[in-house]
Amino acid sequence: TTTAMRGQTLAFPDGFIWGAATAAYQVEGATRADGRGVSIWDTFSRRPGAIADARTGDTACDHYHRYAEDIGLMDRLGLSAYRFSIAWTRVRPDGSGPVNQAGLDFYERLVDGLLAAGIEPYPALYHWDLPQALEDRGGWTDRDTAYRFAEYAETVQARLGDRVRTWMTVNEPWVASVLGYGIGVHAPGRNSWADAFRAAHHLLLAHGLGVRVLRAGGASQITLNVNLAPVLTPGQVNDPAVALSPEDAEAVDRVDALINRQFLDPVLRGEYPARVLPIIERVAGLGHIRDGDLAEIGRPIDLLGVNYYTPCVVRSMPGTPANPAYPGTEDIEFPGAFAPTTATGWPIVPTGLSQLLLRLTRDYPGVGLLVAENGAAFDDVVSGDRVHDADRTAFLESHLRAAHAAIEAGADLRGYLVWSLLDNFEWAEGYNKRFGIVHVDFGTQRRVLKDSGLWYREVIRRNGLWKERARRPTLEEVA
Ligand code: GBH
């Protein structure tokens, strides 16, 4: 890098981690290969009406067989890290029974391939694909599942711990509990608020027990990934400094406690927020929260994985019934934001990311931050061997500018992982929503680096953005 180039670059800190993420059920396919057991997503995706166009993850991106080609793509991108998840059912097909060595062999090939390409593996142990056998015994509503998770974590680490330095425990306990057990739009498709709160607690407990065994096994960095959203009134979306009425301030605080602090406080402070406990007690009782659990859950971690997509927009509106996804939100309306949206309908608010990172820095000091997911679904324009996705590039660029601003203002942000490396099985949306920086033709499994991927490669190469938006190179320059 010449001085001139550095002058034009909005540089990120040295050693900043540039990566991309996927999850097992969304990309692997090969759901019957080499002794893999049945997960709740195999079951749920066959439930009539559960998934758009009745699709499943049976084939997905066939990453199980094409991982070497996919590592080649990561190498072209110049990624420093690849976040993937391990399918519990490949390792212990029944959740708790015998270990399936063939499943571990796959992750060993993947990890070795990544290391050979100079890419740091960031495995996540749980990205929603619970073994069906455990669900049949109560799933995450049963405390025992957390202990089975710790057992499985230990098994995986015993095989890969000499090569994996960074471990991710659980991905998005809010989504897994609320969408899976509370409103049934994700596996296992149950509909009970009480179950959702119990599941959330047991997912947190699984994380804590996982930290304990991973640490004992010598892990050097441990994270959990939480989906976080700044909670804002419609007025704050455009002007964060706008003054709130006491009613709006209360609505914001209550929803923030439910979606963010319910997970952050146990993990980073060893306690449930006082604002949430009475809601949990009313809905589920407190019997599932035992003495000692919060000490277990609050074990120190090194990094917090922040998954950010969009803010949560609320305002006080007396008489409104509780939002089905948020018990305890009586008298609060969720009006959405006046902002452009992605193909999933989520408002695009890049400043939400800087606000979030700075708020974490202020309220939860001492833990490093990693953007563990950020990205967007848009429709691709395929033209010959190019895939045009200018909207995605603009989305990523504006969020990276926001991340950079947070770093300048003092956030200890260590890295950024794009969701996602590949277009993939987008849960209840099937294959209709494309989040990849690599286009996947699901008929032929052909992969093509999208324009956003070519752009990201350039960002990684210079460890930064172009200072002036206008100086962004043309695609011809970077292709
Ligand atoms: C992540 O979940 C997952 O980890 C990943 O597997 C998935 O593919 C990816 O995101 C994309 O969906 O209130 O209607 O504006 C993200 C989950 C996304 C949940 C945003 C809450 C709010 C939508 N979150 N969502 S809305």
Side-chain angles (χ1 to χ4, degrees), residues 345-376:
W346 303 342
I348 303 168
V349 186
T351 50
L353 180 58
S354 32
Q355 279 173 262
L356 192 57
L357 294 170
L358 289 171
R359 182 262 177 109
L360 292 166
T361 301
R362 186 193 65 213
D363 293 352
Y364 304 92
V367 68
L369 301 174
L370 171 74
V371 173
E373 284 184 27
N374 176 240

Coordinates of all heavy atoms in Angstrom, one line a residue, residues 345-376:
G345 N -38.1 -7.0 3.4 CA -39.0 -6.0 4.0 C -38.4 -5.3 5.2 O -39.1 -4.6 5.9
W346 N -37.1 -5.6 5.5 CA -36.5 -5.0 6.7 C -36.0 -3.6 6.3 O -35.2 -3.5 5.4 CB -35.4 -5.9 7.2 CG -35.9 -7.3 7.5 CD1 -37.1 -7.7 7.7 CD2 -35.0 -8.4 7.7 NE1 -37.2 -9.1 8.0 CE2 -35.9 -9.5 8.0 CE3 -33.7 -8.7 7.6 CZ2 -35.4 -10.8 8.2 CZ3 -33.2 -10.0 7.8 CH2 -34.0 -11.0 8.1
P347 N -36.4 -2.6 7.1 CA -35.9 -1.2 6.9 C -34.3 -1.2 7.0 O -33.7 -1.8 7.8 CB -36.5 -0.4 8.0 CG -37.7 -1.2 8.4 CD -37.4 -2.6 8.2
I348 N -33.7 -0.4 6.0 CA -32.3 -0.3 6.0 C -31.9 1.0 6.8 O -32.1 2.1 6.4 CB -31.8 -0.1 4.5 CG1 -32.3 -1.3 3.7 CG2 -30.3 0.1 4.4 CD1 -32.1 -1.1 2.2
V349 N -31.2 0.7 7.9 CA -30.9 1.8 8.8 C -29.4 1.6 9.3 O -29.2 1.1 10.4 CB -31.8 1.9 10.0 CG1 -31.5 3.2 10.9 CG2 -33.3 2.0 9.6
P350 N -28.4 2.0 8.5 CA -27.0 1.7 8.8 C -26.6 2.4 10.2 O -25.8 1.8 10.9 CB -26.3 2.3 7.7 CG -27.2 2.5 6.6 CD -28.6 2.6 7.2
T351 N -27.2 3.5 10.5 CA -26.8 4.2 11.7 C -27.1 3.3 12.9 O -26.5 3.4 14.0 CB -27.4 5.6 11.9 OG1 -28.8 5.4 11.7 CG2 -26.9 6.6 10.9
G352 N -28.1 2.4 12.7 CA -28.5 1.5 13.8 C -27.3 0.7 14.3 O -27.1 0.3 15.4
L353 N -26.4 0.3 13.3 CA -25.2 -0.5 13.7 C -24.2 0.3 14.5 O -23.7 -0.2 15.5 CB -24.5 -1.0 12.4 CG -23.3 -1.9 12.7 CD1 -23.6 -3.1 13.5 CD2 -22.7 -2.3 11.3
S354 N -24.0 1.6 14.2 CA -23.0 2.3 15.0 C -23.6 2.6 16.4 O -23.0 2.5 17.4 CB -22.6 3.7 14.3 OG -23.6 4.2 13.5
Q355 N -24.9 2.9 16.4 CA -25.6 3.1 17.7 C -25.4 1.9 18.6 O -25.1 1.9 19.8 CB -27.1 3.4 17.5 CG -27.4 4.8 17.2 CD -28.9 4.9 16.8 OE1 -29.3 4.9 15.7 NE2 -29.7 5.0 17.9
L356 N -25.7 0.7 18.0 CA -25.6 -0.6 18.7 C -24.2 -0.8 19.3 O -24.1 -1.1 20.4 CB -26.0 -1.6 17.7 CG -26.3 -3.0 18.2 CD1 -27.4 -3.0 19.3 CD2 -26.8 -3.9 17.1
L357 N -23.2 -0.6 18.4 CA -21.9 -0.9 18.8 C -21.4 0.0 19.9 O -20.7 -0.4 20.9 CB -20.9 -0.9 17.6 CG -21.2 -1.9 16.5 CD1 -20.3 -1.6 15.3 CD2 -20.9 -3.3 17.1
L358 N -21.8 1.3 19.9 CA -21.4 2.2 20.9 C -22.2 2.0 22.2 O -21.7 2.1 23.3 CB -21.6 3.6 20.4 CG -20.6 4.0 19.3 CD1 -20.9 5.3 18.7 CD2 -19.2 4.0 19.9
R359 N -23.4 1.6 22.1 CA -24.2 1.3 23.3 C -23.6 0.0 24.0 O -23.5 0.0 25.2 CB -25.6 1.0 22.8 CG -26.6 0.7 24.0 CD -26.8 -0.8 24.1 NE -27.7 -1.1 25.2 CZ -28.9 -1.6 25.1 NH1 -29.4 -1.8 23.9 NH2 -29.6 -1.8 26.2
L360 N -23.2 -1.0 23.2 CA -22.6 -2.1 23.9 C -21.2 -1.7 24.5 O -20.9 -2.2 25.6 CB -22.3 -3.2 22.8 CG -23.6 -3.9 22.2 CD1 -23.2 -4.7 21.0 CD2 -24.2 -4.8 23.3
T361 N -20.5 -0.9 23.9 CA -19.2 -0.4 24.4 C -19.5 0.3 25.8 O -18.7 0.1 26.7 CB -18.6 0.6 23.4 OG1 -18.4 -0.1 22.2 CG2 -17.2 1.1 24.0
R362 N -20.5 1.1 25.8 CA -20.8 1.9 27.0 C -21.4 1.0 28.1 O -21.0 1.0 29.3 CB -21.9 3.0 26.7 CG -22.2 3.9 27.8 CD -23.4 4.8 27.4 NE -24.6 3.9 27.4 CZ -25.6 4.1 26.5 NH1 -25.6 5.1 25.7 NH2 -26.7 3.3 26.5
D363 N -22.4 0.1 27.8 CA -23.1 -0.6 28.8 C -22.5 -2.0 29.2 O -22.8 -2.5 30.3 CB -24.5 -0.9 28.3 CG -25.4 0.4 28.2 OD1 -24.9 1.4 28.7 OD2 -26.5 0.3 27.7
Y364 N -21.7 -2.5 28.3 CA -21.0 -3.8 28.6 C -19.5 -3.8 28.3 O -19.1 -4.4 27.4 CB -21.7 -4.9 27.7 CG -23.2 -5.0 27.9 CD1 -24.1 -4.2 27.1 CD2 -23.8 -5.7 29.0 CE1 -25.5 -4.3 27.3 CE2 -25.2 -5.8 29.2 CZ -26.0 -5.0 28.3 OH -27.4 -5.1 28.5
P365 N -18.8 -2.9 29.0 CA -17.4 -2.8 28.7 C -16.6 -4.1 29.0 O -17.1 -4.9 29.8 CB -16.9 -1.7 29.7 CG -17.9 -1.7 30.8 CD -19.2 -2.1 30.2
G366 N -15.5 -4.2 28.3 CA -14.6 -5.3 28.6 C -14.8 -6.5 27.7 O -14.0 -7.5 27.8
V367 N -15.8 -6.5 26.8 CA -15.9 -7.7 25.9 C -15.6 -7.1 24.5 O -16.1 -6.1 24.1 CB -17.2 -8.4 26.0 CG1 -18.4 -7.5 25.5 CG2 -17.2 -9.7 25.3
G368 N -14.8 -7.8 23.8 CA -14.5 -7.4 22.4 C -15.8 -7.6 21.5 O -16.7 -8.4 21.9
L369 N -15.9 -6.9 20.5 CA -17.1 -7.0 19.6 C -16.7 -7.5 18.2 O -15.7 -7.2 17.7 CB -17.8 -5.6 19.5 CG -18.2 -5.0 20.8 CD1 -18.8 -3.5 20.5 CD2 -19.3 -5.8 21.5
L370 N -17.6 -8.3 17.7 CA -17.5 -8.8 16.4 C -18.8 -8.7 15.7 O -19.8 -9.2 16.2 CB -17.1 -10.3 16.4 CG -17.1 -11.1 15.1 CD1 -15.9 -10.7 14.3 CD2 -17.0 -12.6 15.4
V371 N -18.9 -8.1 14.5 CA -20.1 -8.2 13.8 C -20.1 -9.6 13.2 O -19.4 -9.9 12.3 CB -20.3 -7.1 12.7 CG1 -21.5 -7.3 11.8 CG2 -20.3 -5.7 13.3
A372 N -21.0 -10.4 13.7 CA -21.0 -11.8 13.3 C -21.9 -12.1 12.2 O -21.8 -13.2 11.6 CB -21.3 -12.7 14.5
E373 N -22.8 -11.2 11.9 CA -23.7 -11.3 10.7 C -24.2 -9.9 10.4 O -24.6 -9.1 11.3 CB -25.0 -12.1 11.0 CG -24.8 -13.6 11.0 CD -26.1 -14.3 11.2 OE1 -27.2 -13.8 10.8 OE2 -26.1 -15.4 11.8
N374 N -24.1 -9.5 9.1 CA -24.7 -8.3 8.6 C -24.8 -8.5 7.1 O -23.9 -9.0 6.5 CB -23.9 -7.1 8.9 CG -24.4 -5.8 8.3 OD1 -23.8 -5.1 7.5 ND2 -25.6 -5.4 8.7
G375 N -26.0 -8.2 6.6 CA -26.2 -8.4 5.1 C -27.6 -8.2 4.8 O -28.4 -7.8 5.6
A376 N -27.9 -8.5 3.5 CA -29.3 -8.2 3.1 C -29.7 -9.1 1.9 O -28.9 -9.5 1.1 CB -29.3 -6.7 2.6

